[in-house]
Amino acid sequence: EAGVTQFPSHSVIEKGQTVTLRCDPISGHDNLYWYRRVMGKEIKFLLHFVKESKQDESGMPNNRFLAERTGGTYSTLKVQPAELEDSGVYFCASSPIAGLNTDTQYFGPGTRLTVL
Amino acid sequence: EDQVTQSPEALRLQEGESSSLNCSYTVSGLRGLFWYRQDPGKGPEFLFTLYSAGEEKEKERLKATLTKKESFLHITAPKPEDSATYLCAVLPFSGGYNKLIFGAGTRLAVHP
């Protein structure tokens, strides 16, 4: 079974530019999460989708961040315009909505974002 | 406020030297506690879920235990391939939301 995949693995952009990160969850997982770790800090929650609906977006830092999950499959996280403090590693995770291990979140490899 | 504190920040062991990592948590209600392993440049890899005080889970050289205030990850006779950052996270009871709260991690280095 394929795990969570994220694209790109690394992105370097200049301040003010736009970047879009993509996450493909494990097939059949209706829960999709975004987290990020900025330098020297712990991993922090950004938001949670259940299928195509935003269940919890309490961790989104500001309105420069826009997450979508059209059709309830893959998700994108857009940062526009990017600021220096947005640099960090963005992780996506997914979990099933029913059956075994519904609480366990499985993480992707992350996208390292560098804003210059 | 829900909080997770891991100690030590870093740990250096000789191969075969057993030790324990600590995860202390403060949460209004604990739905589950998770241990992950993270290798450099990779995402967190799930190890264990613990739900109630007294519960224990084992996998190879690792054993996780849970009390009402903390969890321990015991590493028995570690090998160099156990070197990684070990992350602890809690999932609070919060009305159906699934927000994991992570600790800062313990960086483990096992030397031959």
Side-chain angles (χ1 to χ4, degrees):
Chain A
E1 178 184 90
V4 176
T5 57
Q6 294 186 244
F7 182 84
S9 57
H10 195 176
S11 179
V12 181
I13 61 172
E14 296 201 347
K15 177 182 170 180
Q17 290 187 322
T18 297
V19 63
T20 300
L21 314 182
R22 172 171 169 144
C23 168
D24 286 79
I26 292 171
S27 178
H29 281 192
D30 288 329
N31 288 310
L32 186 150
Y33 313 87
W34 285 98
Y35 291 82
R36 78 171 177 179
R37 177 163 59 206
V38 297
M39 183 69 76
K41 302 281 189 178
E42 60 270 19
I43 297 173
K44 290 249 173 107
F45 170 84
L46 294 178
L47 90 161
H48 168 203
F49 283 100
V50 178
K51 298 185 180 179
E52 67 274 10
S53 299
K54 290 176 185 174
Q55 172 78 1
D56 179 3
E57 50 184 330
S58 62
M60 294 289 264
N62 52 60
N63 59 10
R64 295 186 293 103
F65 289 74
L66 175 64
E68 295 181 323
R69 193 183 182 195
T70 307
T73 54
Y74 71 91
S75 174
T76 58
L77 180 65
K78 181 190 288 189
V79 185
Q80 178 183 31
E83 298 288 346
L84 299 179
E85 63 264 25
D86 300 332
S87 295
V89 183
Y90 290 76
F91 294 104
C92 177
S94 70
S95 68
I97 208 166
L100 295 175
N101 300 324
T102 56
D103 288 336
T104 301
Q105 299 181 23
Y106 298 91
F107 282 77
T111 293
R112 180 174 295 278
L113 175 64
T114 303
V115 183
L116 303 176
Chain B
E1 183 182 341
D2 299 330
Q3 195 169 355
V4 177
T5 303
Q6 291 189 246
S7 61
E9 288 185 17
L11 182 62
R12 177 188 170 117
L13 298 174
Q14 289 298 122
E15 184 172 2
E17 179 187 3
S18 301
S19 188
S20 296
L21 313 183
N22 177 263
C23 171
S24 298
Y25 62 90
T26 304
V27 65
S28 50
L30 181 69
R31 191 163 130 200
L33 184 142
F34 302 82
W35 283 98
Y36 288 87
R37 168 192 171 129
Q38 187 174 22
D39 292 294
K42 297 191 175 182
E45 175 189 348
F46 170 71
L47 292 173
F48 303 110
T49 309
L50 300 166
Y51 288 106
S52 55
E55 189 175 0
E56 298 184 353
K57 294 270 180 76
E58 280 189 74
K59 179 180 178 180
E60 296 180 352
R61 294 176 293 282
L62 301 176
K63 182 168 84 171
T65 62
L66 180 65
T67 72
K68 289 187 177 179
K69 294 183 179 180
E70 58 191 350
S71 177
F72 292 93
L73 185 65
H74 307 277
I75 304 177
T76 302
K79 298 182 177 182
E81 53 261 43
D82 295 321
S83 298
T85 295
Y86 290 86
L87 299 168
C88 172
V90 297
L91 185 64
F93 280 111
S94 54
Y97 297 128
N98 293 353
K99 178 192 306 187
L100 281 176
I101 299 168
F102 279 88
T106 293
R107 293 189 313 278
L108 174 66
V110 182
H111 296 270

